Amino acid sequence: KSLKGAVAGIDVLFASAVCEVIVLPTIHDLSDLRVSPTCTKNRREYISRGWCLVELCIAKYFGRVVNTMLAKTRSLLGVDHAIQPEEFERRLVLGDIVFTIAADKIGALVLYKRFHATMGKDALLAAIKDGPAEPHKEALTSGLSALHWRVRRDITQALGAKKANDFATPIAGLLIDPDFRVRIAAQEALARMRPVKNLTAEMSEKLRDEDLEVRVEALRGLAKLGHMGLTQAGGAAHLLSHRDVFVSKAAKDALLQMGLAGADAVAPWLADRDAQTRDAAQEILVQLGPA
């Protein structure tokens, strides 16, 4: 389980200043290795091996390769092996890039797209500045999960400026991003997108309905909306002060399910004049833990 998590977050590991990467394109002496029916010499070229290519590109980008004294390592680093994700997929289909375990290519491709969006952020932002964002949807979506908070924030801000409605759902997912600067950018971007405006108008009507049961059901239904439900955290927070215990409890429960999005929504209510509202907001923040 730990190995699986480490592999999925190779870019996180390789970006760390405490991480050093050793690239071994060739093992010169195999005399000490016993002959095994399951372990044989890999005769495929180093950069044609799936994980080797992905890890080399990421390690090189973050400057983590340390054994540069080897000629073969220097030779690898001297060539730009980072290719477009579409080309990566094409080579997979053609068999020019191969994973020993075929299923690994799924997770590796997600990782590679995330890395490539980070590496090409400036070019990506320049491309959508003067044109539509939709043709770059796959790269932009990958960029929204990029390692560095600044990449996620900058792409989010650019999409917000374009009012790119098709990206409302993935940006809504950033309302629970671990970095508050990304969450703020997401809030501002989503406020300009039609799907969120429409949902807010619909939910506002339900949350103000005279039938209290309608309000309760609307609050309970937010979790079923997935990430888009997070965009309604502010509306739910407003009902913490409702005098009907079932409504206020439903609001509290909904906010607790929203994680950091719920915490951000209730934080302003810590200064509310109403003691019940302050207590409810504080209780939510305590249960959610430190952000």
Side-chain angles (χ1 to χ4, degrees):
K1 182 177 179 181
S2 297
L3 176 61
K4 184 177 180 181
V7 169
I10 283 176
D11 51 352
V12 178
L13 292 174
F14 285 9
S16 170
V18 299
C19 181
E20 295 182 342
V21 179
I22 297 176
V23 175
L24 295 174
T26 303
I27 296 179
H28 299 279
D29 186 1
L30 301 177
S31 59
D32 291 337
L33 296 180
R34 293 183 179 181
V35 177
S36 169
T38 58
C39 298
T40 58
K41 181 179 179 180
N42 192 334
R43 300 185 183 281
R44 188 174 299 280
E45 186 182 8
Y46 186 82
I47 61 170
S48 295
R49 306 174 200 169
W51 278 120
C52 291
L53 176 60
V54 171
E55 293 177 13
L56 173 65
C57 289
I58 297 174
K60 178 183 175 182
Y61 176 74
F62 288 111
R64 298 303 178 207
V65 180
V66 294
N67 61 324
T68 55
M69 71 294 294
L70 298 179
K72 285 186 176 291
T73 301
R74 291 199 302 272
S75 177
L76 282 173
L77 295 175
V79 178
D80 185 7
H81 295 291
I83 54 180
Q84 292 290 331
E86 296 80 9
E87 176 63 14
F88 191 101
E89 291 186 80
R90 188 185 74 83
R91 294 188 189 182
L92 279 174
V93 173
L94 294 176
D96 294 334
I97 298 175
V98 176
F99 286 86
T100 303
I101 300 176
D104 282 358
K105 65 184 179 183
I106 299 174
L109 187 56
V110 171
L111 179 64
Y112 186 82
K113 288 179 178 179
R114 188 167 69 200
F115 146 73
H116 197 274
T118 299
M119 184 182 70
K121 182 201 73 170
D122 292 339
L124 193 59
L125 293 178
I128 67 172
K129 182 178 180 180
D130 301 317
E134 284 68 24
H136 308 280
K137 186 170 185 177
E138 187 173 11
L140 289 166
T141 302
S142 295
L144 292 175
S145 63
L147 169 64
H148 201 286
W149 68 267
R150 189 174 284 108
V151 177
R152 303 194 301 275
R153 183 202 63 184
D154 291 354
I155 291 178
T156 298
Q157 290 177 335
L159 292 172
K162 298 287 290 187
K163 298 181 181 179
N165 297 317
D166 289 348
F167 293 86
T169 298
I171 290 179
L174 295 181
L175 293 174
I176 52 175
D177 192 275
D179 193 286
F180 74 93
R181 291 161 291 196
V182 177
R183 299 200 300 273
I184 291 173
Q187 292 168 8
E188 294 173 348
L190 290 166
R192 309 182 69 177
M193 296 183 176
R194 188 179 306 110
V196 176
K197 290 180 179 179
N198 293 342
L199 178 60
T200 300
E202 177 187 345
M203 291 304 302
S204 294
E205 186 175 342
K206 291 181 179 179
L207 295 179
R208 292 197 306 264
D209 197 285
E210 293 183 1
D211 187 340
L212 298 184
E213 188 60 31
V214 173
R215 301 191 189 194
V216 171
E217 288 304 312
L219 289 165
R220 290 174 177 171
L222 290 178
K224 299 177 183 178
L225 298 178
H227 286 157
M228 287 297 284
L230 301 175
T231 65
Q232 304 306 305
H238 273 278
L239 291 180
L240 283 176
S241 60
H242 200 280
R243 292 309 172 190
D244 184 90
V245 64
F246 294 104
V247 173
S248 59
K249 183 179 185 305
K252 177 182 173 183
D253 291 343
L255 289 162
L256 283 170
Q257 294 180 62
M258 295 181 182
L260 289 173
D264 288 341
V266 303
W269 295 95
L270 291 172
D272 193 79
R273 293 181 178 181
D274 181 68
Q276 173 186 310
T277 305
R278 293 197 305 272
D279 290 345
Q282 184 174 11
E283 187 175 346
I284 290 172
L285 290 173
V286 168
Q287 290 190 42
L288 289 176

